[in-house]
């Protein structure tokens, strides 16, 4: 989806464990100069994105989904 231009990782067990997963892999994730967080646009995803963004401070950016898109799969289905 990203054309292999950037490293992409996923949390192991969804939004509810995102903060824990990111803390466990903090050293690796923090080695990047910019971290874009793209969790689902539902309540747990939005909450987890805010928590993880706080963990990484100013280098974290939270992706805001376009209207009608809940997650990355929606973009793939639409050829985006």
């Amino acid at each position: 989806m990203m054309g292999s231009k950037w490293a992409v990782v996923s949390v192991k067990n969804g939004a509810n464990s995102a903060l824990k997963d990111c803390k466990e892999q903090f050293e690796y994730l923090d080695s990047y100069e910019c971290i874009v967080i793209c969790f689902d646009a539902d309540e747990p995803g939005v909450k987890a994105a805010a928590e993880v963004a706080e963990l990484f401070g100013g280098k974290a950016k939270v992706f805001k989904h376009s209207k009608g898109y809940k997650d990355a799969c929606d973009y793939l289905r639409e050829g985006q």
Side-chain angles (χ1 to χ4, degrees):
M1 187 169 161
M2 303 302 293
S4 298
K5 294 179 183 178
W6 298 280
V8 178
V9 297
S10 180
V11 294
K12 292 191 261 183
N13 296 304
N16 291 330
S17 69
L19 184 59
K20 177 181 174 278
D21 291 346
C22 291
K23 283 181 177 179
E24 288 174 359
Q25 298 301 320
F26 181 83
E27 187 175 337
Y28 168 71
L29 295 170
D30 195 51
S31 70
Y32 290 91
E33 52 187 81
C34 179
I35 300 167
V36 179
I37 301 161
C38 182
F39 296 154
D40 290 359
D42 56 12
E43 186 178 335
V46 171
K47 179 179 183 268
E51 292 172 345
V52 171
E54 188 175 319
L55 179 66
F56 293 103
K59 68 168 53 180
K61 299 181 181 8
V62 177
F63 182 85
K64 301 235 187 225
H65 293 281
S66 299
K67 186 175 181 175
Y69 294 88
K70 177 188 167 276
D71 58 26
C73 290
D74 290 343
Y75 289 90
L76 284 172
R77 257 187 247 111
E78 296 295 320
Q80 301 293 320

